[in-house]
């Protein structure tokens, strides 16, 4: 790929553009800092210790069989497994993770009312990976336990009537892929249909509908920085158009990382009451970084598909684990049942190899089958060791009544944001709905706050967004992703607050300030020093904080 033509590179998605930025950033002796990637550099240790200790116990269970043969074991035996687990835990007392798995078994038995022996057996078989995933959608007790975690984090204390079904998938990436495919296969979305996208949004949601596979029309629902990244009533009114079949969004948003306010959630609920046929897909990967988070899945359960990934909160991107959840009574199943007879017969034929009553097959079970091209449904399902680790993560948070881990995660990212703004020399943007996993650095806003409104407008005529990113990469070895690639309207750079150390973010702030100062010197030279009249009362946009009032900055003597 030719990385020399900046304008041509502007057509790439931000994740492909990053390769060019990384190549430029590495052309110096400085250490390359990739502040664009969302992979966290922190992870949850206790549930991992628990997973490996459970794995050691599972091995003792396997080695009880075929003792007369070297290197061969057998399946765990259910009878007496609870007593053998207690003996194992006592003999390994004090080792990292043992106390956790003891507590986990107790919690499953005493708080969730499940059989401790059945749970231990399911975890042993899962960790050993000695059997196919059965049920294929998710292991029986695992679905119950992970469901409790999802209820705690996504539904919170909001009233929720009925149950929901879950499908364990290979992270949010697989969830998106499977959902787009099954929505098409089941005639819930067809070529030429219109879907609404809550902007800004994770780039693949913008790109996938354009593919020849789907050929969907996009209606953009903007959450502008000027409104603190919240959807306006006017924008949400677009959802009342019956042509809009579905509404896809990220909550908290990606990349601003701002959760939908309670007021805006209420607006959406009112719209769904007027559009009971509207399908909603909410991608809530970053919801666990927020306090008292309530998903649209809780507010509009019959219309909403929930996507959640364990990757970011637990530092588990390599595990590839996530879930798709739908309410047991949902609009998807009702829409399929109401399809014209010809299309229903077509779907009968599609799913006839896996059930004698295809019309009773739920959408979420169709999703499982479609993920394996139906014909391979008998081997569908997420890797069982991955499901076991998912359960350990879930129990870890369910038992953490003081939310110590959540507080630690929030503290890590908020400290990094503070370091970034400290070196920028700007006030930290106040926003109670921000979860600070990512942040959009609005280049015009930064310039305006530092040196006035005229300079902010001037710099856009001299420095195009991609050129700014390439200059930053070249001169500082710092890689940021373009905010416009996520549907942002302002020239900006997305910085992940999850994957570098605190001093690195200080360096980013310092470097951006230095670049702005250099351009300000050019501005003053070009305008004859007219930049001394600076706007002190400009309300900043979302990248800086809507109501912040900035005093005139002193000109650097350097």
């Amino acid at each position: 790929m030719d990385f020399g033509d900046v304008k041509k590179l502007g057509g790439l998605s931000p994740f492909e553009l990053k390769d060019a930025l990384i190549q430029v950033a590495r052309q110096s002796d400085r250490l390359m800092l990739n502040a664009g990637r969302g992979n966290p550099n922190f992870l949850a240790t206790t549930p991992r210790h628990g997973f490996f200790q459970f794995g050691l116990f599972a091995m003792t269970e396997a080695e009880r069989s075929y003792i007369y043969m070297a290197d061969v074991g057998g399946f765990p035996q259910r009878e007496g497994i609870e007593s053998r687990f207690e003996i194992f835990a006592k003999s390994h007392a004090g080792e990292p993770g043992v106390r956790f798995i003891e507590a986990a078994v107790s919690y499953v038995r005493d708080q969730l009312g499940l059989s401790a022996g059945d749970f231990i057996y399911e975890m042993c078989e899962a960790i050993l990976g000695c059997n196919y995933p059965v049920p294929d959608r998710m292991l029986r007790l695992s679905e119950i336990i992970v469901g409790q975690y999802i209820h705690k984090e996504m539904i919170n204390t909001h009233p929720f009537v009925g149950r929901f079904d879950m499908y364990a998938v290979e992270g949010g990436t697989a969830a998106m892929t499977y959902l787009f495919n099954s929505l098409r296969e089941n005639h819930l979305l067809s070529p030429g249909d219109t879907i609404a996208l809550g902007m800004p949004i994770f780039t693949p949601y913008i790109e996938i509908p354009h593919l020849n596979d789907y050929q969907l029309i996009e209606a953009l629902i903007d959450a502008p920085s000027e409104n603190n990244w919240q959807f306006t009533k006017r924008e949400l009114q677009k959802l009342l158009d019956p042509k809009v079949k579905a509404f896809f969004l990220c909550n908290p948003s990606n990349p601003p990382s701002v959760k939908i306010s309670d007021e805006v959630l209420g607006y959406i609920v009112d719209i769904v009451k007027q559009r009971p046929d509207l399908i909603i897909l909410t991608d809530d990967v970053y919801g666990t970084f927020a306090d008292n988070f309530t998903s649209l899945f809780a507010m509009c359960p019959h219309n909403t598909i929930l996507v959640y990934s364990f990757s970011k909160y637990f530092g588990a991107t390599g595990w590839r684990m996530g879930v798709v959840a739908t309410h047991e009574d949902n609009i998807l199943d009702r829409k399929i049942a109401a399809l014209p007879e010809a299309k229903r017969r077509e779907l009968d034929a599609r799913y006839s190899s896996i059930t004698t009553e295809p019309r009773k097959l739920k959408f979420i079970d169709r999703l499982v089958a479609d993920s394996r091209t139906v014909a391979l449904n008998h081997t569908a399902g997420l890797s069982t060791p991955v499901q076991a680790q998912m359960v350990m993560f879930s129990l870890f948070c369910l038992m953490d009544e003081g939310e110590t881990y959540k507080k630690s995660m929030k503290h890590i990212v908020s400290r990094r944001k503070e370091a970034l703004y400290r070196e920028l020399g700007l006030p930290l943007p106040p926003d109670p709905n921000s979860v600070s996993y990512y942040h959009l650095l609005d280049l015009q806003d930064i310039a305006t706050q530092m040196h006035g409104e005229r300079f902010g407008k001037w710099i856009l005529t001299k420095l195009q967004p991609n050129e700014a990113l390439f200059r930053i990469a070249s001169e500082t070895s710092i890689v940021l992703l373009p905010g416009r690639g996520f549907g942002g309207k302002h020239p900006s750079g997305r910085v992940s607050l999850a994957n570098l150390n605190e001093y690195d973010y200080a360096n980013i702030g310092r470097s951006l300030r230095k670049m702005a100062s250099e351009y300000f010197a050019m501005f003053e030279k070009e305008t004859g020093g007219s930049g001394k009249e600076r706007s002190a009362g400009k309300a900043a946009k979302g990248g800086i904080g809507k109501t912040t009032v900035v005093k005139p900055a002193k000109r650097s003597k350097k």
Side-chain angles (χ1 to χ4, degrees):
M1 183 182 296
D2 178 16
F3 293 150
D5 189 336
V6 173
K7 290 186 178 179
K8 180 181 275 189
L9 290 170
L12 295 176
S13 82
F15 301 105
E16 300 305 325
L17 179 61
K18 81 175 187 307
D19 294 333
L21 291 166
I22 288 171
Q23 179 169 308
V24 171
R26 284 176 172 164
Q27 290 174 355
S28 73
D29 295 330
R30 294 181 298 267
L31 177 66
M32 189 273 291
L33 300 176
N34 186 353
R37 194 75 188 267
N39 197 112
N41 64 352
F42 47 77
L43 54 85
T45 56
T46 298
R48 282 176 166 86
H49 278 303
F51 175 84
F52 290 118
Q53 290 293 349
F54 229 125
L56 291 176
F57 172 69
M59 284 304 300
T60 66
E61 285 295 292
E63 289 170 345
R64 293 179 68 244
S65 302
Y66 300 99
I67 295 175
Y68 59 91
M69 298 178 69
D71 307 318
V72 178
F75 280 26
Q77 298 298 313
R78 170 63 182 85
E79 185 178 355
I81 199 169
E82 191 172 354
S83 297
R84 294 192 297 275
F85 175 81
E86 291 175 0
I87 293 170
F88 173 88
K90 285 183 173 61
S91 64
H92 292 78
E95 294 183 15
V98 171
R99 176 71 184 126
F100 168 74
I101 59 174
E102 279 188 296
V105 170
S106 174
Y107 185 89
V108 166
R109 178 185 59 235
D110 302 333
Q111 300 303 318
L112 301 184
L114 304 174
S115 164
D118 289 349
F119 169 69
I120 295 167
Y121 179 79
E122 182 170 296
M123 287 298 97
C124 284
E125 194 174 65
I127 289 173
L128 290 170
C130 56
N131 213 337
Y132 287 108
V134 179
D136 50 17
R137 198 173 73 202
M138 197 166 185
L139 301 178
R140 186 177 68 85
L141 297 183
S142 297
E143 181 172 2
I144 295 171
I145 295 165
V146 175
Q148 289 290 318
Y149 167 72
I150 294 297
H151 195 289
K152 176 188 175 185
E153 296 291 351
M154 300 289 106
I155 298 172
N156 202 358
T157 57
H158 189 81
F160 192 91
V161 178
R163 299 177 300 172
F164 56 86
D165 301 311
M166 292 193 305
Y167 173 28
V169 295
E170 301 91 337
T173 301
M176 291 173 61
T177 302
Y178 298 159
L179 283 166
F180 269 101
N181 180 56
S182 279
L183 288 168
R184 178 196 62 191
E185 292 290 355
N186 286 278
H187 305 294
L188 297 172
L189 290 177
S190 301
D193 282 349
T194 298
I195 63 168
L197 300 179
M199 307 294 279
I201 195 170
F202 186 41
T203 310
Y205 283 108
I206 303 172
E207 298 171 342
I208 292 173
H210 293 300
L211 296 177
N212 188 55
D213 309 56
Y214 304 106
Q215 303 176 51
L216 301 171
I217 299 170
E218 296 176 352
L220 306 184
I221 311 295
D222 190 33
S225 60
E226 296 85 354
N227 198 44
N228 288 327
W229 303 110
Q230 298 293 333
F231 300 116
T232 64
K233 271 188 172 182
R234 183 175 180 178
E235 285 291 296
L236 290 171
Q237 292 294 312
K238 296 176 182 177
L239 298 175
L240 294 175
D241 185 344
K243 291 181 180 178
V244 176
K245 303 297 184 183
F247 179 32
F248 292 2
L249 70 154
C250 293
N251 182 28
S253 53
N254 183 356
S257 288
V258 174
K259 71 175 183 178
I260 299 175
S261 68
D262 292 342
E263 182 181 20
V264 175
L265 284 174
Y267 296 161
I268 299 174
V269 170
D270 289 341
I271 284 172
V272 171
K273 288 178 181 177
Q274 299 174 68
R275 283 289 316 277
D277 62 320
L278 183 66
I279 297 170
I280 297 175
L281 190 158
T282 184
D283 186 330
D284 295 354
V285 171
Y286 304 102
T288 34
F289 286 88
D291 290 326
N292 302 313
F293 179 77
T294 303
S295 170
L296 267 173
F297 183 62
M299 307 291 287
C300 308
H302 305 288
N303 293 72
T304 304
I305 305 168
L306 171 68
V307 172
Y308 177 74
S309 166
F310 289 72
S311 297
K312 306 300 171 58
Y313 192 56
F314 297 98
T317 53
W319 270 108
R320 313 311 299 139
M321 62 173 67
V323 292
V324 174
T326 57
H327 194 277
E328 60 183 349
D329 175 18
N330 61 75
I331 189 62
L332 305 161
D333 292 333
R334 292 198 292 273
K335 278 177 172 282
I336 292 171
L339 287 171
E341 181 62 23
K343 289 186 176 179
R344 287 201 289 169
R345 284 199 299 270
E346 174 193 317
L347 292 175
D348 289 346
R350 177 176 179 81
Y351 299 108
S352 62
S353 65
I354 62 173
T355 176
T356 57
E357 298 180 297
R359 296 194 181 187
K360 292 184 178 179
L361 196 65
K362 294 181 179 180
F363 172 79
I364 198 162
D365 292 313
R366 293 167 187 248
L367 188 70
V368 178
D370 292 335
S371 74
R372 298 299 182 267
T373 326
V374 183
L376 292 166
N377 182 71
H378 63 289
T379 57
L382 182 64
S383 162
T384 60
V386 177
Q387 292 194 52
Q389 179 68 90
M390 190 187 298
V391 169
M392 295 296 111
F393 286 148
S394 297
L395 287 169
F396 172 60
C397 286
L398 286 169
M399 294 189 293
D400 184 14
E401 294 184 356
E403 297 199 324
T404 303
Y405 182 74
K406 183 184 288 287
K407 291 173 183 175
S408 296
M409 295 301 97
K410 289 174 63 65
H411 182 67
I412 288 173
V413 294
S414 63
R415 280 280 299 267
R416 293 171 177 180
K417 191 173 184 178
E418 290 166 7
L420 172 65
Y421 272 84
R422 183 176 62 246
E423 294 303 323
L424 271 173
L426 297 175
L428 190 68
D431 187 347
N433 293 309
S434 174
V435 300
S436 298
Y437 192 91
Y438 297 116
H439 189 60
L440 271 182
L441 291 166
D442 188 308
L443 301 179
Q444 183 180 8
D445 258 349
I446 290 172
T448 299
Q449 287 218 38
M450 286 181 177
H451 300 295
E453 189 170 353
R454 289 191 63 206
F455 173 63
K457 291 179 179 178
W458 174 89
I459 199 170
L460 292 186
T461 68
K462 302 295 180 181
L463 193 65
Q464 294 304 312
N466 280 349
E467 292 180 87
L469 298 179
F470 275 95
R471 173 170 172 173
I472 292 169
S474 175
E475 297 185 3
T476 68
S477 295
I478 297 167
V479 173
L480 305 178
L481 294 184
R484 281 185 170 173
F486 297 85
K489 291 188 175 180
H490 298 280
S492 57
R494 186 189 87 160
V495 56
S496 167
L497 296 167
N499 66 329
L500 301 177
N501 292 315
E502 193 172 314
Y503 64 85
D504 294 321
Y505 295 97
N507 287 337
I508 293 172
R510 193 177 304 118
S511 299
L512 288 172
R513 185 169 185 82
K514 177 177 178 291
M515 188 175 73
S517 297
E518 291 174 2
Y519 272 89
F520 182 63
M522 293 167 54
F523 168 73
E524 286 203 309
K525 185 176 180 180
E526 183 177 307
T527 59
S530 61
K532 292 178 181 178
E533 297 179 4
R534 299 169 191 156
S535 172
K538 180 182 183 295
K541 296 176 183 176
I544 302 299
K546 186 178 180 184
T547 58
T548 303
V549 176
V550 184
K551 295 180 180 179
K554 293 182 180 180
R555 183 178 174 186
S556 173
K557 294 181 180 180
K558 295 182 180 179

